[in-house]
Short mmCIF file of all heavy atoms in Angstrom, two decimals:
data_model
loop_
_atom_site.label_atom_id
_atom_site.label_comp_id
_atom_site.label_asym_id
_atom_site.label_seq_id
_atom_site.Cartn_x
_atom_site.Cartn_y
_atom_site.Cartn_z
N PRO A 299 -10.30 20.53 18.29
CA PRO A 299 -9.45 19.72 17.42
C PRO A 299 -9.23 20.36 16.06
O PRO A 299 -10.17 20.88 15.45
CB PRO A 299 -10.23 18.40 17.30
CG PRO A 299 -10.99 18.32 18.58
CD PRO A 299 -11.39 19.73 18.89
N ILE A 300 -8.00 20.32 15.60
CA ILE A 300 -7.64 20.85 14.29
C ILE A 300 -7.62 19.68 13.31
O ILE A 300 -6.80 18.77 13.43
CB ILE A 300 -6.26 21.53 14.32
CG1 ILE A 300 -6.29 22.73 15.29
CG2 ILE A 300 -5.85 21.99 12.92
CD1 ILE A 300 -4.93 23.39 15.49
N ALA A 301 -8.55 19.72 12.35
CA ALA A 301 -8.64 18.64 11.36
C ALA A 301 -8.21 19.16 10.00
O ALA A 301 -8.46 20.31 9.65
CB ALA A 301 -10.07 18.10 11.29
N PHE A 302 -7.55 18.30 9.24
CA PHE A 302 -7.10 18.70 7.90
C PHE A 302 -7.01 17.49 7.00
O PHE A 302 -6.91 16.35 7.46
CB PHE A 302 -5.73 19.39 7.99
CG PHE A 302 -4.63 18.51 8.53
CD1 PHE A 302 -3.85 17.72 7.69
CD2 PHE A 302 -4.36 18.47 9.90
CE1 PHE A 302 -2.84 16.92 8.19
CE2 PHE A 302 -3.35 17.66 10.41
CZ PHE A 302 -2.58 16.88 9.55
N ILE A 303 -7.07 17.74 5.68
CA ILE A 303 -6.88 16.69 4.69
C ILE A 303 -5.89 17.15 3.63
O ILE A 303 -5.71 18.35 3.43
CB ILE A 303 -8.20 16.23 4.02
CG1 ILE A 303 -8.84 17.39 3.25
CG2 ILE A 303 -9.15 15.63 5.03
CD1 ILE A 303 -9.99 16.94 2.37
N ILE A 304 -5.27 16.17 2.99
CA ILE A 304 -4.36 16.40 1.87
C ILE A 304 -4.80 15.43 0.78
O ILE A 304 -4.68 14.22 0.93
CB ILE A 304 -2.90 16.13 2.27
CG1 ILE A 304 -2.50 16.96 3.48
CG2 ILE A 304 -1.96 16.38 1.10
CD1 ILE A 304 -1.28 16.43 4.21
N ARG A 305 -5.35 15.95 -0.29
CA ARG A 305 -5.91 15.08 -1.32
C ARG A 305 -4.82 14.42 -2.16
O ARG A 305 -3.82 15.04 -2.50
CB ARG A 305 -6.86 15.88 -2.22
CG ARG A 305 -8.05 16.47 -1.45
CD ARG A 305 -9.03 17.15 -2.37
NE ARG A 305 -10.05 17.85 -1.58
CZ ARG A 305 -11.14 17.29 -1.10
NH1 ARG A 305 -11.36 16.00 -1.33
NH2 ARG A 305 -12.01 17.98 -0.40
N ASN A 306 -5.03 13.15 -2.48
CA ASN A 306 -4.15 12.44 -3.42
C ASN A 306 -4.67 12.68 -4.83
O ASN A 306 -5.84 12.39 -5.12
CB ASN A 306 -4.14 10.94 -3.13
CG ASN A 306 -3.47 10.61 -1.81
OD1 ASN A 306 -2.54 11.28 -1.40
ND2 ASN A 306 -3.95 9.56 -1.15
N SER A 307 -3.84 13.23 -5.68
CA SER A 307 -4.29 13.56 -7.03
C SER A 307 -3.55 12.80 -8.13
O SER A 307 -3.92 12.89 -9.30
CB SER A 307 -4.12 15.07 -7.28
OG SER A 307 -2.77 15.46 -7.11
N ASP A 308 -2.51 12.04 -7.77
CA ASP A 308 -1.72 11.36 -8.79
C ASP A 308 -1.51 9.90 -8.43
O ASP A 308 -0.39 9.38 -8.42
CB ASP A 308 -0.37 12.08 -8.96
CG ASP A 308 0.41 11.59 -10.18
OD1 ASP A 308 -0.22 11.02 -11.09
OD2 ASP A 308 1.63 11.77 -10.21
N GLN A 309 -2.62 9.21 -8.14
CA GLN A 309 -2.52 7.79 -7.81
C GLN A 309 -2.35 6.97 -9.08
O GLN A 309 -2.95 7.28 -10.11
CB GLN A 309 -3.79 7.30 -7.09
CG GLN A 309 -4.25 8.18 -5.95
CD GLN A 309 -5.37 9.11 -6.36
OE1 GLN A 309 -5.29 9.74 -7.40
NE2 GLN A 309 -6.41 9.20 -5.54
N ARG A 310 -1.53 5.95 -9.00
CA ARG A 310 -1.37 5.02 -10.13
C ARG A 310 -1.35 3.60 -9.58
O ARG A 310 -0.31 2.97 -9.47
CB ARG A 310 -0.08 5.31 -10.89
CG ARG A 310 -0.07 6.62 -11.66
CD ARG A 310 1.18 6.70 -12.53
NE ARG A 310 1.38 8.01 -13.07
CZ ARG A 310 2.46 8.37 -13.78
NH1 ARG A 310 3.43 7.48 -13.99
NH2 ARG A 310 2.57 9.59 -14.25
N THR A 311 -2.52 3.13 -9.24
CA THR A 311 -2.60 1.77 -8.68
C THR A 311 -2.15 0.72 -9.68
O THR A 311 -1.73 -0.37 -9.29
CB THR A 311 -4.03 1.47 -8.21
OG1 THR A 311 -4.93 1.67 -9.31
CG2 THR A 311 -4.43 2.40 -7.06
N ALA A 312 -2.23 1.05 -10.98
CA ALA A 312 -1.82 0.10 -12.01
C ALA A 312 -0.35 -0.26 -11.91
O ALA A 312 0.07 -1.35 -12.32
CB ALA A 312 -2.12 0.66 -13.40
N ASP A 313 0.46 0.67 -11.34
CA ASP A 313 1.89 0.40 -11.18
C ASP A 313 2.14 -0.82 -10.30
O ASP A 313 3.22 -1.43 -10.36
CB ASP A 313 2.59 1.62 -10.57
CG ASP A 313 2.73 2.77 -11.56
OD1 ASP A 313 2.50 2.53 -12.77
OD2 ASP A 313 3.06 3.88 -11.14
N TYR A 314 1.15 -1.14 -9.46
CA TYR A 314 1.33 -2.21 -8.48
C TYR A 314 0.57 -3.48 -8.84
O TYR A 314 0.62 -4.45 -8.10
CB TYR A 314 0.88 -1.73 -7.10
CG TYR A 314 1.70 -0.55 -6.60
CD1 TYR A 314 1.33 0.75 -6.90
CD2 TYR A 314 2.85 -0.74 -5.85
CE1 TYR A 314 2.08 1.84 -6.47
CE2 TYR A 314 3.61 0.33 -5.41
CZ TYR A 314 3.21 1.62 -5.72
OH TYR A 314 3.97 2.69 -5.29
N LYS A 315 -0.14 -3.46 -9.98
CA LYS A 315 -0.97 -4.60 -10.35
C LYS A 315 -0.17 -5.88 -10.48
O LYS A 315 -0.55 -6.95 -9.99
CB LYS A 315 -1.71 -4.29 -11.65
CG LYS A 315 -2.76 -5.34 -12.02
CD LYS A 315 -3.54 -4.92 -13.25
CE LYS A 315 -4.61 -5.95 -13.59
NZ LYS A 315 -5.39 -5.55 -14.80
N ALA A 316 0.99 -5.79 -11.14
CA ALA A 316 1.82 -6.98 -11.35
C ALA A 316 2.47 -7.48 -10.07
O ALA A 316 2.94 -8.61 -10.01
CB ALA A 316 2.90 -6.67 -12.39
N LEU A 317 2.47 -6.64 -9.03
CA LEU A 317 3.12 -6.99 -7.77
C LEU A 317 2.12 -7.41 -6.70
O LEU A 317 2.52 -7.72 -5.57
CB LEU A 317 3.93 -5.80 -7.25
CG LEU A 317 4.99 -5.22 -8.20
CD1 LEU A 317 5.52 -3.91 -7.64
CD2 LEU A 317 6.12 -6.21 -8.39
N LYS A 318 0.84 -7.43 -7.04
CA LYS A 318 -0.22 -7.58 -6.04
C LYS A 318 -0.05 -8.79 -5.14
O LYS A 318 -0.26 -8.69 -3.93
CB LYS A 318 -1.59 -7.63 -6.73
CG LYS A 318 -2.75 -7.64 -5.74
CD LYS A 318 -4.07 -7.51 -6.47
CE LYS A 318 -5.25 -7.56 -5.49
NZ LYS A 318 -5.21 -6.47 -4.51
N ASN A 319 0.38 -9.90 -5.68
CA ASN A 319 0.50 -11.13 -4.87
C ASN A 319 1.94 -11.51 -4.56
O ASN A 319 2.20 -12.61 -4.07
CB ASN A 319 -0.20 -12.28 -5.60
CG ASN A 319 -1.70 -12.07 -5.70
OD1 ASN A 319 -2.35 -11.72 -4.72
ND2 ASN A 319 -2.24 -12.24 -6.89
N SER A 320 2.87 -10.58 -4.83
CA SER A 320 4.28 -10.85 -4.57
C SER A 320 4.79 -10.01 -3.42
O SER A 320 4.33 -8.88 -3.21
CB SER A 320 5.12 -10.57 -5.83
OG SER A 320 4.71 -11.40 -6.90
N PHE A 321 5.75 -10.56 -2.69
CA PHE A 321 6.33 -9.84 -1.56
C PHE A 321 7.61 -9.15 -2.01
O PHE A 321 8.62 -9.81 -2.31
CB PHE A 321 6.62 -10.79 -0.41
CG PHE A 321 5.41 -11.53 0.09
CD1 PHE A 321 5.41 -12.92 0.15
CD2 PHE A 321 4.27 -10.85 0.47
CE1 PHE A 321 4.30 -13.61 0.61
CE2 PHE A 321 3.15 -11.53 0.93
CZ PHE A 321 3.16 -12.91 1.00
N ARG A 322 7.58 -7.81 -2.07
CA ARG A 322 8.78 -7.07 -2.47
C ARG A 322 9.82 -7.15 -1.36
O ARG A 322 9.51 -6.92 -0.19
CB ARG A 322 8.42 -5.60 -2.74
CG ARG A 322 7.52 -5.39 -3.94
CD ARG A 322 7.02 -3.96 -4.03
NE ARG A 322 6.16 -3.65 -2.89
CZ ARG A 322 5.69 -2.43 -2.62
NH1 ARG A 322 6.02 -1.40 -3.39
NH2 ARG A 322 4.91 -2.24 -1.58
N PRO A 323 11.08 -7.49 -1.70
CA PRO A 323 12.12 -7.61 -0.68
C PRO A 323 12.27 -6.34 0.15
O PRO A 323 12.31 -5.23 -0.38
CB PRO A 323 13.38 -7.88 -1.50
CG PRO A 323 12.88 -8.55 -2.74
CD PRO A 323 11.56 -7.89 -3.03
N SER A 324 12.33 -6.53 1.48
CA SER A 324 12.55 -5.45 2.46
C SER A 324 11.41 -4.44 2.54
O SER A 324 11.55 -3.39 3.16
CB SER A 324 13.87 -4.72 2.19
OG SER A 324 14.96 -5.56 2.50
N HIS A 325 10.26 -4.74 1.91
CA HIS A 325 9.08 -3.91 2.07
C HIS A 325 8.20 -4.48 3.20
O HIS A 325 8.50 -5.53 3.77
CB HIS A 325 8.26 -3.87 0.77
CG HIS A 325 8.78 -2.92 -0.25
ND1 HIS A 325 9.93 -3.16 -0.98
CD2 HIS A 325 8.30 -1.73 -0.67
CE1 HIS A 325 10.14 -2.16 -1.81
NE2 HIS A 325 9.17 -1.27 -1.64
N ALA A 326 7.09 -3.80 3.45
CA ALA A 326 6.16 -4.25 4.48
C ALA A 326 5.10 -5.21 3.94
O ALA A 326 4.20 -5.61 4.67
CB ALA A 326 5.48 -3.05 5.12
N ASP A 327 5.22 -5.58 2.66
CA ASP A 327 4.20 -6.43 2.04
C ASP A 327 3.96 -7.71 2.85
O ASP A 327 2.82 -8.06 3.16
CB ASP A 327 4.64 -6.83 0.62
CG ASP A 327 4.78 -5.64 -0.30
OD1 ASP A 327 4.19 -4.58 -0.01
OD2 ASP A 327 5.49 -5.76 -1.31
N PHE A 328 5.04 -8.43 3.16
CA PHE A 328 4.91 -9.73 3.82
C PHE A 328 4.34 -9.58 5.23
O PHE A 328 3.42 -10.30 5.62
CB PHE A 328 6.26 -10.44 3.87
CG PHE A 328 6.24 -11.69 4.71
CD1 PHE A 328 5.54 -12.81 4.30
CD2 PHE A 328 6.90 -11.73 5.93
CE1 PHE A 328 5.51 -13.96 5.08
CE2 PHE A 328 6.87 -12.87 6.72
CZ PHE A 328 6.18 -13.99 6.29
N THR A 329 4.89 -8.65 6.01
CA THR A 329 4.44 -8.52 7.40
C THR A 329 3.00 -8.02 7.48
O THR A 329 2.22 -8.46 8.35
CB THR A 329 5.36 -7.59 8.19
OG1 THR A 329 5.53 -6.35 7.47
CG2 THR A 329 6.72 -8.23 8.41
N TYR A 330 2.60 -7.12 6.57
CA TYR A 330 1.21 -6.67 6.54
C TYR A 330 0.28 -7.83 6.14
O TYR A 330 -0.83 -7.96 6.68
CB TYR A 330 1.05 -5.49 5.58
CG TYR A 330 1.24 -4.14 6.23
CD1 TYR A 330 2.36 -3.88 7.02
CD2 TYR A 330 0.31 -3.12 6.07
CE1 TYR A 330 2.55 -2.64 7.61
CE2 TYR A 330 0.48 -1.89 6.68
CZ TYR A 330 1.60 -1.65 7.44
OH TYR A 330 1.77 -0.42 8.03
N TYR A 331 0.75 -8.67 5.21
CA TYR A 331 -0.04 -9.82 4.79
C TYR A 331 -0.24 -10.79 5.95
O TYR A 331 -1.34 -11.31 6.18
CB TYR A 331 0.66 -10.52 3.63
CG TYR A 331 -0.04 -11.77 3.16
CD1 TYR A 331 -1.18 -11.70 2.37
CD2 TYR A 331 0.47 -13.03 3.50
CE1 TYR A 331 -1.82 -12.86 1.93
CE2 TYR A 331 -0.16 -14.19 3.06
CZ TYR A 331 -1.30 -14.09 2.28
OH TYR A 331 -1.94 -15.24 1.86
N MET A 332 0.81 -11.02 6.73
CA MET A 332 0.71 -11.94 7.85
C MET A 332 -0.17 -11.38 8.96
O MET A 332 -0.85 -12.12 9.66
CB MET A 332 2.11 -12.24 8.40
CG MET A 332 3.01 -13.02 7.43
SD MET A 332 2.29 -14.60 6.90
CE MET A 332 2.32 -15.51 8.46
N LYS A 333 -0.16 -10.07 9.12
CA LYS A 333 -0.97 -9.46 10.19
C LYS A 333 -2.44 -9.34 9.80
O LYS A 333 -3.33 -9.67 10.58
CB LYS A 333 -0.44 -8.06 10.54
CG LYS A 333 -1.23 -7.37 11.65
CD LYS A 333 -0.60 -6.06 12.08
CE LYS A 333 -1.41 -5.38 13.17
NZ LYS A 333 -1.47 -6.18 14.42
N TYR A 334 -2.70 -8.87 8.56
CA TYR A 334 -4.07 -8.58 8.16
C TYR A 334 -4.69 -9.65 7.28
O TYR A 334 -5.91 -9.65 7.06
CB TYR A 334 -4.13 -7.22 7.45
CG TYR A 334 -3.68 -6.08 8.33
CD1 TYR A 334 -2.46 -5.46 8.11
CD2 TYR A 334 -4.47 -5.63 9.39
CE1 TYR A 334 -2.02 -4.42 8.92
CE2 TYR A 334 -4.05 -4.59 10.21
CZ TYR A 334 -2.82 -3.98 9.97
OH TYR A 334 -2.39 -2.96 10.77
N GLY A 335 -3.88 -10.56 6.72
CA GLY A 335 -4.42 -11.64 5.90
C GLY A 335 -4.92 -11.20 4.55
O GLY A 335 -5.69 -11.92 3.90
N LEU A 336 -4.50 -10.03 4.10
CA LEU A 336 -4.94 -9.50 2.81
C LEU A 336 -3.74 -9.21 1.93
O LEU A 336 -2.66 -8.86 2.42
CB LEU A 336 -5.74 -8.20 3.01
CG LEU A 336 -7.00 -8.30 3.87
CD1 LEU A 336 -7.55 -6.91 4.15
CD2 LEU A 336 -8.05 -9.17 3.18
#
């Protein structure tokens, strides 16, 4: 098996803080929430 990683070096989770409990139109937010409950 060929295994590899690609490191994330420019994460900005703060960009999403204000959106944490809102469902962005046409995104997967709502369907993921309904499936995983988170």
Side-chain angles (χ1 to χ4, degrees):
I300 298 174
F302 61 90
I303 62 170
I304 304 161
R305 299 185 187 275
N306 292 327
S307 58
D308 191 21
Q309 312 99 314
R310 291 188 191 174
T311 55
D313 287 347
Y314 298 88
K315 188 175 182 180
L317 304 170
K318 186 172 178 61
N319 294 313
S320 299
F321 301 126
R322 294 171 295 173
S324 290
H325 279 73
D327 298 339
F328 172 69
T329 51
Y330 269 50
Y331 177 77
M332 294 303 293
K333 180 174 179 64
Y334 299 107
L336 301 171

